[in-house]
Coordinates of all heavy atoms in Angstrom, one line a residue:
R352 N 4.7 3.5 2.1 CA 4.3 3.1 3.5 C 3.8 4.3 4.3 O 4.1 4.4 5.5 CB 5.5 2.4 4.3 CG 6.1 1.2 3.4 CD 5.1 0.0 3.2 NE 5.8 -0.9 2.4 CZ 5.6 -1.0 1.0 NH1 4.8 -0.3 0.4 NH2 6.3 -2.0 0.3
R363 N 7.5 7.6 7.5 CA 8.6 7.3 6.6 C 8.4 7.9 5.3 O 7.3 8.2 4.7 CB 8.6 5.8 6.4 CG 8.5 5.0 7.7 CD 8.8 3.5 7.5 NE 7.8 2.6 7.7 CZ 7.8 1.4 7.5 NH1 8.8 0.9 6.9 NH2 6.8 0.5 7.9
R368 N 14.2 -0.3 -0.7 CA 13.9 -1.7 -1.0 C 12.4 -2.0 -1.3 O 12.0 -2.6 -2.1 CB 14.5 -2.6 0.0 CG 13.7 -2.8 1.3 CD 14.1 -4.0 2.1 NE 15.2 -4.0 3.0 CZ 15.3 -3.5 4.2 NH1 14.2 -3.0 4.7 NH2 16.4 -3.4 4.8
D369 N 11.7 -1.2 -0.4 CA 10.2 -1.4 -0.5 C 9.7 -1.0 -1.9 O 8.9 -1.7 -2.6 CB 9.4 -0.5 0.6 CG 9.7 -1.0 2.0 OD1 10.2 -2.1 2.2 OD2 9.4 -0.2 2.9
H404 N 18.4 4.5 2.8 CA 17.2 3.6 3.0 C 15.9 4.1 2.5 O 15.0 3.4 2.2 CB 17.2 3.3 4.5 CG 16.5 2.0 4.9 ND1 16.6 0.9 4.2 CD2 15.6 1.8 5.9 CE1 15.8 0.0 4.8 NE2 15.2 0.5 5.8
W489 N 16.9 -7.4 4.7 CA 15.6 -7.3 4.5 C 14.9 -7.2 5.8 O 13.9 -6.4 6.0 CB 14.9 -8.4 3.8 CG 13.4 -8.4 3.8 CD1 12.6 -7.8 2.9 CD2 12.5 -8.9 4.8 NE1 11.3 -7.8 3.2 CE2 11.2 -8.5 4.5 CE3 12.7 -9.5 6.0 CZ2 10.1 -8.8 5.3 CZ3 11.6 -9.9 6.8 CH2 10.3 -9.5 6.4
N490 N 15.3 -7.8 6.8 CA 14.8 -7.7 8.2 C 15.3 -6.6 8.9 O 16.3 -6.6 9.4 CB 15.1 -9.0 9.0 CG 14.3 -9.1 10.3 OD1 13.9 -8.2 10.8 ND2 13.9 -10.4 10.6
D491 N 14.5 -5.4 8.9 CA 15.0 -4.2 9.5 C 15.3 -4.3 10.9 O 15.9 -3.4 11.5 CB 13.9 -3.2 9.3 CG 13.9 -2.3 8.2 OD1 15.0 -2.3 7.5 OD2 12.9 -1.8 7.7
C492 N 14.9 -5.4 11.5 CA 14.9 -5.5 13.0 C 16.1 -6.5 13.4 O 16.2 -6.8 14.5 CB 13.7 -6.0 13.6 SG 12.4 -4.7 13.2
E654 N 8.7 -9.0 13.6 CA 9.9 -9.8 13.2 C 10.2 -10.9 14.2 O 11.0 -11.7 13.8 CB 11.0 -9.0 12.9 CG 11.0 -8.2 11.6 CD 10.2 -6.8 11.6 OE1 9.4 -6.6 12.5 OE2 10.4 -6.0 10.7
F659 N 5.1 -12.9 9.1 CA 5.3 -11.7 8.3 C 4.9 -12.1 6.8 O 5.5 -12.9 6.1 CB 6.8 -11.4 8.3 CG 7.1 -9.8 8.5 CD1 7.1 -9.4 9.8 CD2 7.2 -9.0 7.3 CE1 7.3 -8.1 10.1 CE2 7.3 -7.6 7.6 CZ 7.5 -7.2 9.0
H661 N 4.8 -10.9 3.9 CA 5.7 -10.6 2.9 C 6.7 -11.7 2.5 O 7.1 -11.8 1.4 CB 6.5 -9.3 3.4 CG 7.5 -8.7 2.5 ND1 7.8 -7.3 2.4 CD2 8.4 -9.3 1.5 CE1 8.7 -7.1 1.5 NE2 9.1 -8.2 1.0
Q707 N 0.6 -6.7 6.9 CA 1.9 -7.0 7.0 C 2.1 -8.2 7.8 O 3.0 -9.1 7.5 CB 2.7 -5.8 7.6 CG 4.2 -6.0 7.8 CD 4.8 -5.0 8.8 OE1 4.3 -5.1 10.0 NE2 5.7 -4.2 8.4
Ligands
LIG1187 C1 8.7 -3.5 6.8 C2 9.7 -2.6 6.0 C3 10.5 -3.3 5.1 C4 11.2 -4.5 5.8 C5 10.2 -5.4 6.6 C6 10.9 -6.3 7.5 O1 7.8 -4.0 6.0 O2 8.8 -1.7 5.2 O3 11.4 -2.7 4.4 O4 11.8 -5.3 4.9 O5 9.4 -4.5 7.4 O6 11.6 -5.7 8.5

Side-chain angles (χ1 to χ4, degrees):
R352 308 294 175 263
R363 313 194 240 172
R368 80 160 84 84
D369 292 345
H404 199 44
W489 174 88
N490 191 329
D491 268 337
C492 300
E654 281 87 341
F659 227 87
H661 185 140
Q707 179 203 59

